[in-house]
Amino acid sequence: MKAPVRVAVTGAAGQIGYSLLFRIAAGEMFGKDQPVILQLLEITPALEVLEGVVMELEDCAFPLLAGVTTSDQAKIAFRDAHFILLIGAKPRGPGMERRDLLEANAAIFSQQGKAIDAMASRSVRVLVVGNPANTNALIVQRNAPTIAPRRFTAMTRLDHNRALAQLASKTGARVNELRQMIIWGNHSSTQYPDISQATVKGRRANGLVDRQWLTQDFIPTVQQRGAAIIRARGQSSAASAANAIIDHMRSWILGTPEDDWVSMAILSDGSYGIAEGLFFSFPCRCSAGNYQVVEGLEIDEFSRTRMLATEQELAEERGAIKHLLP
Ligand code: NAX
């Protein structure tokens, strides 16, 4: 049996946590031969609820679950962690301005970044899910200067999966017959879901759908999907978010297929003219625990305009918390 990997999860008593932890413990993230130790972080008032979740984890008698710890201290939860899933965040309250939300989360993610720097395994892999995810990832990464920047990512895989599902439904194909979808930019309504490279059963997707569907249906549907789910369910996406977390980590660790790629928000190195130092979603290929931006794709005017809009929003978010960055 392999040695267990340590997986820290924040916001573990929340909705996404409840959909996610059982799947990790069942071996869906790291494989059916990889034991895991879960190191769960919550704020103090949620520790009691978290204890209930831990009791349920125990009651599943998962053979791969080698241990569970709980804490309200990031430095304890992140100790020696190989993987850290930052899900807990401050939600937007009534009357709260976007800037207030950014600042409130900046405080949380600065402290968690410092705790990662001090306590996590040097080869840790971090995924930020809590919103605003891209800018929170920037704050975490900047507060963890001794860990390689490539080890920090933010999640746009749910958007990627939503885009695949919409295109599959429109073209009457199965999701696994689609390749090369892209989400560019921010995990927000300015994101740009791009089908210009996508194929459906080996044929260019662009030739199968018309421009009107693309601009008036597909792009806004993917951009607004989170809001549509809140309207219908009264709560934000949780099971699909947990599923996307599993997909993101599996792709990162186990790799992407030769003929496909995934969308991940990573620290821009200037690829495609995107400003360096922003966490921006790019098409990425993964292998052996590493990722690379897919280079050399042709970007037309239609795409460029939309990429610039989401880049602009990310630059503004960074501007709003700049004074809090180390
Ligand atoms: P919930 O409100 O159900 O759970 C969040 C949990 O985080 C709560 O239990 C809370 O006590 C805890 N928490 C708050 N501050 C914390 C801190 N400083 N340390 C540790 N725990 C803390 O939210 P849930 O539906 O689980 O969503 C979690 C986050 O994911 C939200 O920020 C949400 O906006 C974001 N999402 C991001 C997505 C993405 O694709 N990047 C999609 C899904 C989701 O909307």
Side-chain angles (χ1 to χ4, degrees):
M1 202 56 152
K2 293 179 178 173
V5 291
R6 295 181 174 274
V7 188
V9 182
T10 75
Q15 290 201 87
I16 296 177
Y18 196 68
S19 290
L20 178 68
L21 298 175
F22 299 86
R23 295 186 61 184
I24 299 176
E28 289 186 39
M29 189 174 277
F30 302 104
K32 299 283 180 189
D33 60 346
Q34 177 59 66
V36 294
I37 295 172
L38 292 173
Q39 304 185 166
L40 309 178
L41 180 72
E42 258 298 351
I43 52 174
T44 317
L47 284 176
E48 195 178 333
V49 173
L50 186 58
E51 278 316 311
V53 177
V54 172
M55 284 155 70
E56 285 204 70
L57 279 165
E58 282 169 12
D59 295 349
C60 293
F62 286 120
L64 292 171
L65 188 57
V68 185
T69 65
T70 61
S71 179
D72 57 4
Q73 302 296 316
K75 283 194 169 172
I76 295 175
F78 297 164
R79 186 176 292 154
D80 299 328
H82 303 104
F83 301 94
I84 299 184
L85 311 174
L86 298 176
I87 301 170
K90 197 171 176 61
R92 193 169 188 156
M96 204 175 184
E97 294 297 327
R98 192 173 170 77
R99 181 174 290 264
D100 301 334
L101 182 73
L102 280 160
E103 289 208 0
N105 279 296
I108 295 173
F109 286 85
S110 301
Q111 188 232 343
Q112 293 186 351
K114 289 187 175 76
I116 291 172
D117 205 49
M119 304 307 291
S121 157
R122 298 298 89 183
S123 60
V124 67
R125 287 181 173 79
V126 180
L127 171 61
V128 180
V129 176
N131 279 320
N134 299 51
T135 298
N136 289 341
L138 176 66
I139 294 163
V140 170
Q141 183 269 321
R142 290 282 286 271
N143 279 282
T146 69
I147 308 269
R150 293 183 55 75
R151 298 196 166 270
F152 297 85
T153 62
M155 190 166 90
T156 49
R157 186 60 172 269
L158 178 55
D159 310 294
H160 183 100
N161 287 346
R162 287 167 171 167
L164 286 174
Q166 292 299 317
L167 181 61
S169 157
K170 174 70 178 173
T171 56
R174 291 197 305 271
V175 167
N176 61 5
E177 294 171 323
L178 274 50
R179 302 280 184 278
Q180 303 185 173
M181 181 62 73
I182 306 174
I183 303 294
W184 299 99
N186 201 1
H187 168 69
S188 77
S189 58
T190 66
Q191 66 176 268
Y192 170 42
D194 176 9
I195 66 159
S196 66
Q197 311 294 327
T199 60
V200 179
K201 299 183 194 173
R203 296 172 59 196
R204 297 297 297 256
N206 260 343
L208 301 174
V209 297
D210 58 49
R211 189 49 80 96
Q212 192 181 348
W213 178 77
L214 185 66
T215 56
Q216 289 175 29
D217 197 335
F218 174 76
I219 294 176
T221 297
V222 176
Q223 289 175 330
Q224 304 292 339
R225 187 68 163 182
I229 286 167
I230 293 175
R231 276 198 301 279
R233 221 172 74 84
Q235 284 186 303
S236 56
S237 352
S240 54
N243 184 66
I245 294 171
I246 304 245
D247 283 351
H248 178 109
M249 297 307 292
R250 278 186 75 83
S251 296
W252 190 357
I253 301 157
L254 301 175
T256 44
E258 286 273 293
D259 60 347
D260 206 1
W261 57 58
V262 294
S263 302
M264 299 168 77
I266 58 171
L267 193 59
S268 170
D269 64 356
S271 295
Y272 295 99
I274 300 302
E276 286 181 37
L278 294 175
F279 270 78
F280 192 92
S281 180
F282 289 99
C284 292
R285 286 205 175 90
C286 308
S287 97
N290 287 310
Y291 57 79
Q292 295 294 336
V293 174
V294 178
E295 300 287 358
L297 302 176
E298 209 170 297
I299 307 295
D300 63 13
E301 212 35 54
F302 180 89
S303 293
R304 177 59 65 194
T305 311
R306 285 163 178 77
M307 287 162 71
L308 286 174
T310 191
E311 179 194 28
Q312 170 72 25
E313 183 185 48
L314 281 168
E316 283 168 15
E317 287 187 11
R318 180 175 59 183
I321 50 87
K322 207 168 188 173
H323 57 293
L324 301 170
L325 289 174

